[in-house]
């Protein structure tokens, strides 16, 4: 158990809908990262928050947004969903904000199916 | 964007050493090299990381080339539980941790 909690584990929805994925980091970790994993693209970095502020952005679509709340949990919002958004979404956390040497601890993921 | 290159798959026998290679073509001087692995139906988990010199921990060893353009993850005695996808990555001042497609390691009994 990594200590990172993601909910829900599975999510099934229809095209055009909006969903929210939630992540609670390990106790004491200030950074939260979001990743998308699909069969053809591998593990893709989406976005990072550190202590409530956006720190880095990857290949995140404009239809996707995220935030980190004062209690450090984070939410990833996916809107106007398309079939191609079906994937595993992972959250990770680390103590520090820099990626140079911080170890990331990953949650078990949320499997999103868009029908 | 930073890019790493790994073989798609490798195979090993149980209790034999495994050397998993990675090329870091765009690594900069301040980028750390990280290795993670993903067991079936689980999230990725940290294996090891280093900057310039070789590193050892209870899970594995990391050998880093002198020019840092390549690294090798060494599992000294592979077990069936080591069967996973292994990702090398590099992270540094640009805050982006880039994962490649990973290497699927199969361990034969």
């Amino acid at each position: 158990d990594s200590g990172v909690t993601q909910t829900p584990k599975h999510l099934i929805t229809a095209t055009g809908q909006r969903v929210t994925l939630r992540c609670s980091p390990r106790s004491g970790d200030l950074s939260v990262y979001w990743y998308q994993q699909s069969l053809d693209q591998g593990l893709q970095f989406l976005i990072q928050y550190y202590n409530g502020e956006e720190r880095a952005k990857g290949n995140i679509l404009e239809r996707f947004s995220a935030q980190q709340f004062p209690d450090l949990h984070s939410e990833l919002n996916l809107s106007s969903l398309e079939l191609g958004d079906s994937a595993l979404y992972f959250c990770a956390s680390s103590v520090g904000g820099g990626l140079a040497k911080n170890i990331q601890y990953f949650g078990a993921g949320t499997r999103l199916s868009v029908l | 964007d930073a890019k790493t290159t790994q073989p798609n798959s490798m195979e090993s026998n149980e209790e034999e050493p495994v050397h998993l290679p990675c090329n870091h073509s765009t690594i900069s001087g301040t980028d750390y090299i990280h290795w993670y692995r993903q067991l079936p139906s689980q999230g990725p988990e940290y294996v090891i990381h280093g900057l310039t010199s070789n590193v050892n921990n209870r899970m594995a060893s990391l050998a880093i080339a002198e020019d840092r353009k390549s690294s090798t993850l060494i599992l000294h005695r592979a077990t069936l539980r080591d069967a996973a996808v292994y990702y090398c990555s590099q992270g540094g001042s640009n805050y982006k941790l880039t994962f490649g497609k990973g290497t699927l390691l199969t361990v034969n009994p």
Side-chain angles (χ1 to χ4, degrees), chain A residues 48-72:
Chain A
Q48 178 203 358
Y49 278 83
Y50 175 73
N51 206 19
E53 294 191 3
E54 183 182 304
R55 178 62 67 95
K57 224 169 188 175
N59 300 321
I60 187 166
L61 299 171
E62 285 190 13
R63 300 184 285 109
F64 296 0
S65 65
Q67 56 184 329
Q68 186 180 28
F69 294 88
D71 67 353
L72 300 177

mmCIF file with all atom_site columns, all heavy atoms in Angstrom, chain A residues 48-72:
data_model
loop_
_atom_site.group_PDB
_atom_site.id
_atom_site.type_symbol
_atom_site.label_atom_id
_atom_site.label_alt_id
_atom_site.label_comp_id
_atom_site.label_asym_id
_atom_site.label_entity_id
_atom_site.label_seq_id
_atom_site.pdbx_PDB_ins_code
_atom_site.Cartn_x
_atom_site.Cartn_y
_atom_site.Cartn_z
_atom_site.occupancy
_atom_site.B_iso_or_equiv
_atom_site.pdbx_formal_charge
_atom_site.auth_seq_id
_atom_site.auth_comp_id
_atom_site.auth_asym_id
_atom_site.auth_atom_id
_atom_site.pdbx_PDB_model_num
ATOM 1   N N   . GLN A 1 48 ? 1.078   18.646 -12.460 1.00 0.00 ? 48 GLN A N   1
ATOM 2   C CA  . GLN A 1 48 ? 1.568   18.543 -11.093 1.00 0.00 ? 48 GLN A CA  1
ATOM 3   C C   . GLN A 1 48 ? 1.147   19.773 -10.292 1.00 0.00 ? 48 GLN A C   1
ATOM 4   O O   . GLN A 1 48 ? 1.188   20.898 -10.795 1.00 0.00 ? 48 GLN A O   1
ATOM 5   C CB  . GLN A 1 48 ? 3.093   18.454 -11.058 1.00 0.00 ? 48 GLN A CB  1
ATOM 6   C CG  . GLN A 1 48 ? 3.666   18.393 -9.640  1.00 0.00 ? 48 GLN A CG  1
ATOM 7   C CD  . GLN A 1 48 ? 5.111   18.856 -9.538  1.00 0.00 ? 48 GLN A CD  1
ATOM 8   O OE1 . GLN A 1 48 ? 5.726   19.208 -10.543 1.00 0.00 ? 48 GLN A OE1 1
ATOM 9   N NE2 . GLN A 1 48 ? 5.661   18.843 -8.339  1.00 0.00 ? 48 GLN A NE2 1
ATOM 10  N N   . TYR A 1 49 ? 0.744   19.519 -9.052  1.00 0.00 ? 49 TYR A N   1
ATOM 11  C CA  . TYR A 1 49 ? 0.475   20.594 -8.109  1.00 0.00 ? 49 TYR A CA  1
ATOM 12  C C   . TYR A 1 49 ? 1.399   20.448 -6.912  1.00 0.00 ? 49 TYR A C   1
ATOM 13  O O   . TYR A 1 49 ? 1.703   19.338 -6.479  1.00 0.00 ? 49 TYR A O   1
ATOM 14  C CB  . TYR A 1 49 ? -0.983  20.570 -7.640  1.00 0.00 ? 49 TYR A CB  1
ATOM 15  C CG  . TYR A 1 49 ? -1.906  21.227 -8.621  1.00 0.00 ? 49 TYR A CG  1
ATOM 16  C CD1 . TYR A 1 49 ? -2.380  20.517 -9.724  1.00 0.00 ? 49 TYR A CD1 1
ATOM 17  C CD2 . TYR A 1 49 ? -2.290  22.546 -8.482  1.00 0.00 ? 49 TYR A CD2 1
ATOM 18  C CE1 . TYR A 1 49 ? -3.218  21.112 -10.647 1.00 0.00 ? 49 TYR A CE1 1
ATOM 19  C CE2 . TYR A 1 49 ? -3.131  23.161 -9.392  1.00 0.00 ? 49 TYR A CE2 1
ATOM 20  C CZ  . TYR A 1 49 ? -3.582  22.433 -10.482 1.00 0.00 ? 49 TYR A CZ  1
ATOM 21  O OH  . TYR A 1 49 ? -4.409  23.024 -11.398 1.00 0.00 ? 49 TYR A OH  1
ATOM 22  N N   . TYR A 1 50 ? 1.841   21.575 -6.404  1.00 0.00 ? 50 TYR A N   1
ATOM 23  C CA  . TYR A 1 50 ? 2.674   21.584 -5.209  1.00 0.00 ? 50 TYR A CA  1
ATOM 24  C C   . TYR A 1 50 ? 2.079   22.578 -4.222  1.00 0.00 ? 50 TYR A C   1
ATOM 25  O O   . TYR A 1 50 ? 2.005   23.772 -4.515  1.00 0.00 ? 50 TYR A O   1
ATOM 26  C CB  . TYR A 1 50 ? 4.120   21.954 -5.549  1.00 0.00 ? 50 TYR A CB  1
ATOM 27  C CG  . TYR A 1 50 ? 5.007   22.090 -4.332  1.00 0.00 ? 50 TYR A CG  1
ATOM 28  C CD1 . TYR A 1 50 ? 5.414   20.979 -3.619  1.00 0.00 ? 50 TYR A CD1 1
ATOM 29  C CD2 . TYR A 1 50 ? 5.414   23.355 -3.884  1.00 0.00 ? 50 TYR A CD2 1
ATOM 30  C CE1 . TYR A 1 50 ? 6.222   21.096 -2.504  1.00 0.00 ? 50 TYR A CE1 1
ATOM 31  C CE2 . TYR A 1 50 ? 6.220   23.481 -2.766  1.00 0.00 ? 50 TYR A CE2 1
ATOM 32  C CZ  . TYR A 1 50 ? 6.622   22.348 -2.073  1.00 0.00 ? 50 TYR A CZ  1
ATOM 33  O OH  . TYR A 1 50 ? 7.414   22.467 -0.963  1.00 0.00 ? 50 TYR A OH  1
ATOM 34  N N   . ASN A 1 51 ? 1.646   22.076 -3.089  1.00 0.00 ? 51 ASN A N   1
ATOM 35  C CA  . ASN A 1 51 ? 1.107   22.918 -2.019  1.00 0.00 ? 51 ASN A CA  1
ATOM 36  C C   . ASN A 1 51 ? 0.032   23.874 -2.530  1.00 0.00 ? 51 ASN A C   1
ATOM 37  O O   . ASN A 1 51 ? 0.007   25.044 -2.155  1.00 0.00 ? 51 ASN A O   1
ATOM 38  C CB  . ASN A 1 51 ? 2.240   23.693 -1.348  1.00 0.00 ? 51 ASN A CB  1
ATOM 39  C CG  . ASN A 1 51 ? 1.906   24.070 0.081   1.00 0.00 ? 51 ASN A CG  1
ATOM 40  O OD1 . ASN A 1 51 ? 1.009   23.493 0.703   1.00 0.00 ? 51 ASN A OD1 1
ATOM 41  N ND2 . ASN A 1 51 ? 2.599   25.050 0.601   1.00 0.00 ? 51 ASN A ND2 1
ATOM 42  N N   . GLY A 1 52 ? -0.823  23.367 -3.387  1.00 0.00 ? 52 GLY A N   1
ATOM 43  C CA  . GLY A 1 52 ? -1.964  24.150 -3.849  1.00 0.00 ? 52 GLY A CA  1
ATOM 44  C C   . GLY A 1 52 ? -1.756  24.892 -5.149  1.00 0.00 ? 52 GLY A C   1
ATOM 45  O O   . GLY A 1 52 ? -2.725  25.413 -5.722  1.00 0.00 ? 52 GLY A O   1
ATOM 46  N N   . GLU A 1 53 ? -0.523  24.937 -5.630  1.00 0.00 ? 53 GLU A N   1
ATOM 47  C CA  . GLU A 1 53 ? -0.268  25.703 -6.857  1.00 0.00 ? 53 GLU A CA  1
ATOM 48  C C   . GLU A 1 53 ? 0.182   24.790 -7.990  1.00 0.00 ? 53 GLU A C   1
ATOM 49  O O   . GLU A 1 53 ? 0.917   23.836 -7.762  1.00 0.00 ? 53 GLU A O   1
ATOM 50  C CB  . GLU A 1 53 ? 0.814   26.753 -6.600  1.00 0.00 ? 53 GLU A CB  1
ATOM 51  C CG  . GLU A 1 53 ? 0.375   27.832 -5.628  1.00 0.00 ? 53 GLU A CG  1
ATOM 52  C CD  . GLU A 1 53 ? 1.352   28.999 -5.593  1.00 0.00 ? 53 GLU A CD  1
ATOM 53  O OE1 . GLU A 1 53 ? 2.323   28.984 -6.373  1.00 0.00 ? 53 GLU A OE1 1
ATOM 54  O OE2 . GLU A 1 53 ? 1.142   29.894 -4.777  1.00 0.00 ? 53 GLU A OE2 1
ATOM 55  N N   . GLU A 1 54 ? -0.232  25.132 -9.193  1.00 0.00 ? 54 GLU A N   1
ATOM 56  C CA  . GLU A 1 54 ? 0.210   24.359 -10.350 1.00 0.00 ? 54 GLU A CA  1
ATOM 57  C C   . GLU A 1 54 ? 1.711   24.527 -10.527 1.00 0.00 ? 54 GLU A C   1
ATOM 58  O O   . GLU A 1 54 ? 2.222   25.635 -10.544 1.00 0.00 ? 54 GLU A O   1
ATOM 59  C CB  . GLU A 1 54 ? -0.525  24.839 -11.601 1.00 0.00 ? 54 GLU A CB  1
ATOM 60  C CG  . GLU A 1 54 ? -0.181  24.048 -12.850 1.00 0.00 ? 54 GLU A CG  1
ATOM 61  C CD  . GLU A 1 54 ? -0.891  24.607 -14.069 1.00 0.00 ? 54 GLU A CD  1
ATOM 62  O OE1 . GLU A 1 54 ? -2.139  24.701 -14.059 1.00 0.00 ? 54 GLU A OE1 1
ATOM 63  O OE2 . GLU A 1 54 ? -0.186  24.968 -15.039 1.00 0.00 ? 54 GLU A OE2 1
ATOM 64  N N   . ARG A 1 55 ? 2.434   23.404 -10.675 1.00 0.00 ? 55 ARG A N   1
ATOM 65  C CA  . ARG A 1 55 ? 3.894   23.463 -10.773 1.00 0.00 ? 55 ARG A CA  1
ATOM 66  C C   . ARG A 1 55 ? 4.380   23.087 -12.165 1.00 0.00 ? 55 ARG A C   1
ATOM 67  O O   . ARG A 1 55 ? 5.344   23.645 -12.663 1.00 0.00 ? 55 ARG A O   1
ATOM 68  C CB  . ARG A 1 55 ? 4.522   22.528 -9.733  1.00 0.00 ? 55 ARG A CB  1
ATOM 69  C CG  . ARG A 1 55 ? 6.027   22.450 -9.742  1.00 0.00 ? 55 ARG A CG  1
ATOM 70  C CD  . ARG A 1 55 ? 6.699   23.782 -9.441  1.00 0.00 ? 55 ARG A CD  1
ATOM 71  N NE  . ARG A 1 55 ? 6.487   24.255 -8.097  1.00 0.00 ? 55 ARG A NE  1
ATOM 72  C CZ  . ARG A 1 55 ? 7.334   24.059 -7.091  1.00 0.00 ? 55 ARG A CZ  1
ATOM 73  N NH1 . ARG A 1 55 ? 8.421   23.357 -7.277  1.00 0.00 ? 55 ARG A NH1 1
ATOM 74  N NH2 . ARG A 1 55 ? 7.088   24.572 -5.895  1.00 0.00 ? 55 ARG A NH2 1
ATOM 75  N N   . ALA A 1 56 ? 3.740   22.118 -12.794 1.00 0.00 ? 56 ALA A N   1
ATOM 76  C CA  . ALA A 1 56 ? 4.180   21.688 -14.128 1.00 0.00 ? 56 ALA A CA  1
ATOM 77  C C   . ALA A 1 56 ? 2.994   21.145 -14.899 1.00 0.00 ? 56 ALA A C   1
ATOM 78  O O   . ALA A 1 56 ? 2.055   20.605 -14.322 1.00 0.00 ? 56 ALA A O   1
ATOM 79  C CB  . ALA A 1 56 ? 5.267   20.625 -14.015 1.00 0.00 ? 56 ALA A CB  1
ATOM 80  N N   . LYS A 1 57 ? 3.069   21.333 -16.197 1.00 0.00 ? 57 LYS A N   1
ATOM 81  C CA  . LYS A 1 57 ? 1.997   20.861 -17.061 1.00 0.00 ? 57 LYS A CA  1
ATOM 82  C C   . LYS A 1 57 ? 2.582   19.979 -18.147 1.00 0.00 ? 57 LYS A C   1
ATOM 83  O O   . LYS A 1 57 ? 3.595   20.301 -18.743 1.00 0.00 ? 57 LYS A O   1
ATOM 84  C CB  . LYS A 1 57 ? 1.318   22.066 -17.712 1.00 0.00 ? 57 LYS A CB  1
ATOM 85  C CG  . LYS A 1 57 ? -0.179  22.037 -17.731 1.00 0.00 ? 57 LYS A CG  1
ATOM 86  C CD  . LYS A 1 57 ? -0.757  23.378 -18.144 1.00 0.00 ? 57 LYS A CD  1
ATOM 87  C CE  . LYS A 1 57 ? -2.245  23.381 -17.976 1.00 0.00 ? 57 LYS A CE  1
ATOM 88  N NZ  . LYS A 1 57 ? -2.851  24.679 -18.241 1.00 0.00 ? 57 LYS A NZ  1
ATOM 89  N N   . GLY A 1 58 ? 1.907   18.883 -18.391 1.00 0.00 ? 58 GLY A N   1
ATOM 90  C CA  . GLY A 1 58 ? 2.331   17.980 -19.457 1.00 0.00 ? 58 GLY A CA  1
ATOM 91  C C   . GLY A 1 58 ? 1.340   18.020 -20.591 1.00 0.00 ? 58 GLY A C   1
ATOM 92  O O   . GLY A 1 58 ? 0.833   19.048 -20.981 1.00 0.00 ? 58 GLY A O   1
ATOM 93  N N   . ASN A 1 59 ? 1.018   16.846 -21.097 1.00 0.00 ? 59 ASN A N   1
ATOM 94  C CA  . ASN A 1 59 ? 0.116   16.750 -22.248 1.00 0.00 ? 59 ASN A CA  1
ATOM 95  C C   . ASN A 1 59 ? -1.344  16.723 -21.829 1.00 0.00 ? 59 ASN A C   1
ATOM 96  O O   . ASN A 1 59 ? -2.088  15.806 -22.156 1.00 0.00 ? 59 ASN A O   1
ATOM 97  C CB  . ASN A 1 59 ? 0.437   15.479 -23.039 1.00 0.00 ? 59 ASN A CB  1
ATOM 98  C CG  . ASN A 1 59 ? 1.862   15.479 -23.542 1.00 0.00 ? 59 ASN A CG  1
ATOM 99  O OD1 . ASN A 1 59 ? 2.384   16.505 -23.965 1.00 0.00 ? 59 ASN A OD1 1
ATOM 100 N ND2 . ASN A 1 59 ? 2.521   14.341 -23.466 1.00 0.00 ? 59 ASN A ND2 1
ATOM 101 N N   . ILE A 1 60 ? -1.759  17.738 -21.114 1.00 0.00 ? 60 ILE A N   1
ATOM 102 C CA  . ILE A 1 60 ? -3.130  17.760 -20.609 1.00 0.00 ? 60 ILE A CA  1
ATOM 103 C C   . ILE A 1 60 ? -4.020  18.530 -21.570 1.00 0.00 ? 60 ILE A C   1
ATOM 104 O O   . ILE A 1 60 ? -3.695  19.623 -22.009 1.00 0.00 ? 60 ILE A O   1
ATOM 105 C CB  . ILE A 1 60 ? -3.187  18.361 -19.182 1.00 0.00 ? 60 ILE A CB  1
ATOM 106 C CG1 . ILE A 1 60 ? -4.589  18.218 -18.583 1.00 0.00 ? 60 ILE A CG1 1
ATOM 107 C CG2 . ILE A 1 60 ? -2.669  19.792 -19.146 1.00 0.00 ? 60 ILE A CG2 1
ATOM 108 C CD1 . ILE A 1 60 ? -4.662  18.464 -17.087 1.00 0.00 ? 60 ILE A CD1 1
ATOM 109 N N   . LEU A 1 61 ? -5.157  17.935 -21.925 1.00 0.00 ? 61 LEU A N   1
ATOM 110 C CA  . LEU A 1 61 ? -6.085  18.558 -22.845 1.00 0.00 ? 61 LEU A CA  1
ATOM 111 C C   . LEU A 1 61 ? -6.792  19.734 -22.175 1.00 0.00 ? 61 LEU A C   1
ATOM 112 O O   . LEU A 1 61 ? -6.923  19.780 -20.952 1.00 0.00 ? 61 LEU A O   1
ATOM 113 C CB  . LEU A 1 61 ? -7.131  17.534 -23.305 1.00 0.00 ? 61 LEU A CB  1
ATOM 114 C CG  . LEU A 1 61 ? -6.592  16.304 -24.050 1.00 0.00 ? 61 LEU A CG  1
ATOM 115 C CD1 . LEU A 1 61 ? -7.717  15.281 -24.250 1.00 0.00 ? 61 LEU A CD1 1
ATOM 116 C CD2 . LEU A 1 61 ? -5.971  16.688 -25.364 1.00 0.00 ? 61 LEU A CD2 1
ATOM 117 N N   . GLU A 1 62 ? -7.284  20.657 -22.990 1.00 0.00 ? 62 GLU A N   1
ATOM 118 C CA  . GLU A 1 62 ? -8.005  21.807 -22.436 1.00 0.00 ? 62 GLU A CA  1
ATOM 119 C C   . GLU A 1 62 ? -9.310  21.388 -21.780 1.00 0.00 ? 62 GLU A C   1
ATOM 120 O O   . GLU A 1 62 ? -9.817  22.083 -20.891 1.00 0.00 ? 62 GLU A O   1
ATOM 121 C CB  . GLU A 1 62 ? -8.285  22.823 -23.552 1.00 0.00 ? 62 GLU A CB  1
ATOM 122 C CG  . GLU A 1 62 ? -7.049  23.610 -23.948 1.00 0.00 ? 62 GLU A CG  1
ATOM 123 C CD  . GLU A 1 62 ? -7.395  24.772 -24.857 1.00 0.00 ? 62 GLU A CD  1
ATOM 124 O OE1 . GLU A 1 62 ? -8.587  25.114 -24.972 1.00 0.00 ? 62 GLU A OE1 1
ATOM 125 O OE2 . GLU A 1 62 ? -6.466  25.346 -25.454 1.00 0.00 ? 62 GLU A OE2 1
ATOM 126 N N   . ARG A 1 63 ? -9.855  20.247 -22.180 1.00 0.00 ? 63 ARG A N   1
ATOM 127 C CA  . ARG A 1 63 ? -11.091 19.736 -21.574 1.00 0.00 ? 63 ARG A CA  1
ATOM 128 C C   . ARG A 1 63 ? -10.846 19.182 -20.165 1.00 0.00 ? 63 ARG A C   1
ATOM 129 O O   . ARG A 1 63 ? -11.775 18.872 -19.442 1.00 0.00 ? 63 ARG A O   1
ATOM 130 C CB  . ARG A 1 63 ? -11.675 18.606 -22.441 1.00 0.00 ? 63 ARG A CB  1
ATOM 131 C CG  . ARG A 1 63 ? -12.023 19.020 -23.850 1.00 0.00 ? 63 ARG A CG  1
ATOM 132 C CD  . ARG A 1 63 ? -12.671 17.870 -24.604 1.00 0.00 ? 63 ARG A CD  1
ATOM 133 N NE  . ARG A 1 63 ? -11.734 16.846 -25.006 1.00 0.00 ? 63 ARG A NE  1
ATOM 134 C CZ  . ARG A 1 63 ? -11.668 15.627 -24.476 1.00 0.00 ? 63 ARG A CZ  1
ATOM 135 N NH1 . ARG A 1 63 ? -12.492 15.293 -23.489 1.00 0.00 ? 63 ARG A NH1 1
ATOM 136 N NH2 . ARG A 1 63 ? -10.808 14.736 -24.929 1.00 0.00 ? 63 ARG A NH2 1
ATOM 137 N N   . PHE A 1 64 ? -9.583  19.032 -19.814 1.00 0.00 ? 64 PHE A N   1
ATOM 138 C CA  . PHE A 1 64 ? -9.225  18.487 -18.502 1.00 0.00 ? 64 PHE A CA  1
ATOM 139 C C   . PHE A 1 64 ? -8.714  19.628 -17.614 1.00 0.00 ? 64 PHE A C   1
ATOM 140 O O   . PHE A 1 64 ? -8.016  20.533 -18.084 1.00 0.00 ? 64 PHE A O   1
ATOM 141 C CB  . PHE A 1 64 ? -8.124  17.435 -18.627 1.00 0.00 ? 64 PHE A CB  1
ATOM 142 C CG  . PHE A 1 64 ? -8.499  16.197 -19.395 1.00 0.00 ? 64 PHE A CG  1
ATOM 143 C CD1 . PHE A 1 64 ? -9.754  16.029 -19.945 1.00 0.00 ? 64 PHE A CD1 1
ATOM 144 C CD2 . PHE A 1 64 ? -7.570  15.178 -19.554 1.00 0.00 ? 64 PHE A CD2 1
ATOM 145 C CE1 . PHE A 1 64 ? -10.093 14.886 -20.650 1.00 0.00 ? 64 PHE A CE1 1
ATOM 146 C CE2 . PHE A 1 64 ? -7.886  14.023 -20.260 1.00 0.00 ? 64 PHE A CE2 1
ATOM 147 C CZ  . PHE A 1 64 ? -9.153  13.884 -20.814 1.00 0.00 ? 64 PHE A CZ  1
ATOM 148 N N   . SER A 1 65 ? -9.031  19.560 -16.352 1.00 0.00 ? 65 SER A N   1
ATOM 149 C CA  . SER A 1 65 ? -8.501  20.539 -15.411 1.00 0.00 ? 65 SER A CA  1
ATOM 150 C C   . SER A 1 65 ? -8.280  19.854 -14.071 1.00 0.00 ? 65 SER A C   1
ATOM 151 O O   . SER A 1 65 ? -8.846  18.791 -13.807 1.00 0.00 ? 65 SER A O   1
ATOM 152 C CB  . SER A 1 65 ? -9.447  21.729 -15.245 1.00 0.00 ? 65 SER A CB  1
ATOM 153 O OG  . SER A 1 65 ? -10.662 21.300 -14.663 1.00 0.00 ? 65 SER A OG  1
ATOM 154 N N   . ALA A 1 66 ? -7.461  20.453 -13.258 1.00 0.00 ? 66 ALA A N   1
ATOM 155 C CA  . ALA A 1 66 ? -7.191  19.865 -11.956 1.00 0.00 ? 66 ALA A CA  1
ATOM 156 C C   . ALA A 1 66 ? -7.018  20.968 -10.938 1.00 0.00 ? 66 ALA A C   1
ATOM 157 O O   . ALA A 1 66 ? -6.847  22.145 -11.283 1.00 0.00 ? 66 ALA A O   1
ATOM 158 C CB  . ALA A 1 66 ? -5.928  18.998 -12.000 1.00 0.00 ? 66 ALA A CB  1
ATOM 159 N N   . GLN A 1 67 ? -7.104  20.603 -9.687  1.00 0.00 ? 67 GLN A N   1
ATOM 160 C CA  . GLN A 1 67 ? -6.793  21.529 -8.616  1.00 0.00 ? 67 GLN A CA  1
ATOM 161 C C   . GLN A 1 67 ? -6.364  20.766 -7.387  1.00 0.00 ? 67 GLN A C   1
ATOM 162 O O   . GLN A 1 67 ? -6.678  19.575 -7.251  1.00 0.00 ? 67 GLN A O   1
ATOM 163 C CB  . GLN A 1 67 ? -7.984  22.447 -8.304  1.00 0.00 ? 67 GLN A CB  1
ATOM 164 C CG  . GLN A 1 67 ? -9.270  21.748 -7.968  1.00 0.00 ? 67 GLN A CG  1
ATOM 165 C CD  . GLN A 1 67 ? -10.418 22.750 -7.760  1.00 0.00 ? 67 GLN A CD  1
ATOM 166 O OE1 . GLN A 1 67 ? -10.195 23.880 -7.317  1.00 0.00 ? 67 GLN A OE1 1
ATOM 167 N NE2 . GLN A 1 67 ? -11.633 22.348 -8.081  1.00 0.00 ? 67 GLN A NE2 1
ATOM 168 N N   . GLN A 1 68 ? -5.649  21.465 -6.510  1.00 0.00 ? 68 GLN A N   1
ATOM 169 C CA  . GLN A 1 68 ? -5.252  20.889 -5.233  1.00 0.00 ? 68 GLN A CA  1
ATOM 170 C C   . GLN A 1 68 ? -5.801  21.797 -4.137  1.00 0.00 ? 68 GLN A C   1
ATOM 171 O O   . GLN A 1 68 ? -5.608  23.001 -4.143  1.00 0.00 ? 68 GLN A O   1
ATOM 172 C CB  . GLN A 1 68 ? -3.727  20.792 -5.120  1.00 0.00 ? 68 GLN A CB  1
ATOM 173 C CG  . GLN A 1 68 ? -3.277  20.054 -3.864  1.00 0.00 ? 68 GLN A CG  1
ATOM 174 C CD  . GLN A 1 68 ? -1.758  19.955 -3.760  1.00 0.00 ? 68 GLN A CD  1
ATOM 175 O OE1 . GLN A 1 68 ? -1.028  20.788 -4.269  1.00 0.00 ? 68 GLN A OE1 1
ATOM 176 N NE2 . GLN A 1 68 ? -1.282  18.923 -3.083  1.00 0.00 ? 68 GLN A NE2 1
ATOM 177 N N   . PHE A 1 69 ? -6.474  21.186 -3.209  1.00 0.00 ? 69 PHE A N   1
ATOM 178 C CA  . PHE A 1 69 ? -7.195  21.921 -2.173  1.00 0.00 ? 69 PHE A CA  1
ATOM 179 C C   . PHE A 1 69 ? -6.293  22.169 -0.955  1.00 0.00 ? 69 PHE A C   1
ATOM 180 O O   . PHE A 1 69 ? -5.226  21.566 -0.830  1.00 0.00 ? 69 PHE A O   1
ATOM 181 C CB  . PHE A 1 69 ? -8.449  21.141 -1.788  1.00 0.00 ? 69 PHE A CB  1
ATOM 182 C CG  . PHE A 1 69 ? -9.443  21.052 -2.912  1.00 0.00 ? 69 PHE A CG  1
ATOM 183 C CD1 . PHE A 1 69 ? -9.364  20.026 -3.845  1.00 0.00 ? 69 PHE A CD1 1
ATOM 184 C CD2 . PHE A 1 69 ? -10.447 22.001 -3.054  1.00 0.00 ? 69 PHE A CD2 1
ATOM 185 C CE1 . PHE A 1 69 ? -10.270 19.943 -4.896  1.00 0.00 ? 69 PHE A CE1 1
ATOM 186 C CE2 . PHE A 1 69 ? -11.359 21.927 -4.093  1.00 0.00 ? 69 PHE A CE2 1
ATOM 187 C CZ  . PHE A 1 69 ? -11.265 20.893 -5.024  1.00 0.00 ? 69 PHE A CZ  1
ATOM 188 N N   . PRO A 1 70 ? -6.742  23.068 -0.043  1.00 0.00 ? 70 PRO A N   1
ATOM 189 C CA  . PRO A 1 70 ? -5.916  23.359 1.148   1.00 0.00 ? 70 PRO A CA  1
ATOM 190 C C   . PRO A 1 70 ? -5.560  22.134 1.979   1.00 0.00 ? 70 PRO A C   1
ATOM 191 O O   . PRO A 1 70 ? -4.503  22.113 2.606   1.00 0.00 ? 70 PRO A O   1
ATOM 192 C CB  . PRO A 1 70 ? -6.803  24.338 1.946   1.00 0.00 ? 70 PRO A CB  1
ATOM 193 C CG  . PRO A 1 70 ? -7.595  25.044 0.894   1.00 0.00 ? 70 PRO A CG  1
ATOM 194 C CD  . PRO A 1 70 ? -7.880  23.988 -0.152  1.00 0.00 ? 70 PRO A CD  1
ATOM 195 N N   . ASP A 1 71 ? -6.411  21.105 1.970   1.00 0.00 ? 71 ASP A N   1
ATOM 196 C CA  . ASP A 1 71 ? -6.049  19.891 2.723   1.00 0.00 ? 71 ASP A CA  1
ATOM 197 C C   . ASP A 1 71 ? -5.146  18.977 1.900   1.00 0.00 ? 71 ASP A C   1
ATOM 198 O O   . ASP A 1 71 ? -4.841  17.868 2.310   1.00 0.00 ? 71 ASP A O   1
ATOM 199 C CB  . ASP A 1 71 ? -7.297  19.139 3.178   1.00 0.00 ? 71 ASP A CB  1
ATOM 200 C CG  . ASP A 1 71 ? -8.079  18.554 2.012   1.00 0.00 ? 71 ASP A CG  1
ATOM 201 O OD1 . ASP A 1 71 ? -7.736  18.843 0.841   1.00 0.00 ? 71 ASP A OD1 1
ATOM 202 O OD2 . ASP A 1 71 ? -9.042  17.814 2.255   1.00 0.00 ? 71 ASP A OD2 1
ATOM 203 N N   . LEU A 1 72 ? -4.719  19.438 0.746   1.00 0.00 ? 72 LEU A N   1
ATOM 204 C CA  . LEU A 1 72 ? -3.754  18.807 -0.170  1.00 0.00 ? 72 LEU A CA  1
ATOM 205 C C   . LEU A 1 72 ? -4.343  17.694 -1.040  1.00 0.00 ? 72 LEU A C   1
ATOM 206 O O   . LEU A 1 72 ? -3.615  17.165 -1.899  1.00 0.00 ? 72 LEU A O   1
ATOM 207 C CB  . LEU A 1 72 ? -2.520  18.300 0.577   1.00 0.00 ? 72 LEU A CB  1
ATOM 208 C CG  . LEU A 1 72 ? -1.749  19.388 1.316   1.00 0.00 ? 72 LEU A CG  1
ATOM 209 C CD1 . LEU A 1 72 ? -0.587  18.784 2.095   1.00 0.00 ? 72 LEU A CD1 1
ATOM 210 C CD2 . LEU A 1 72 ? -1.236  20.447 0.337   1.00 0.00 ? 72 LEU A CD2 1
#
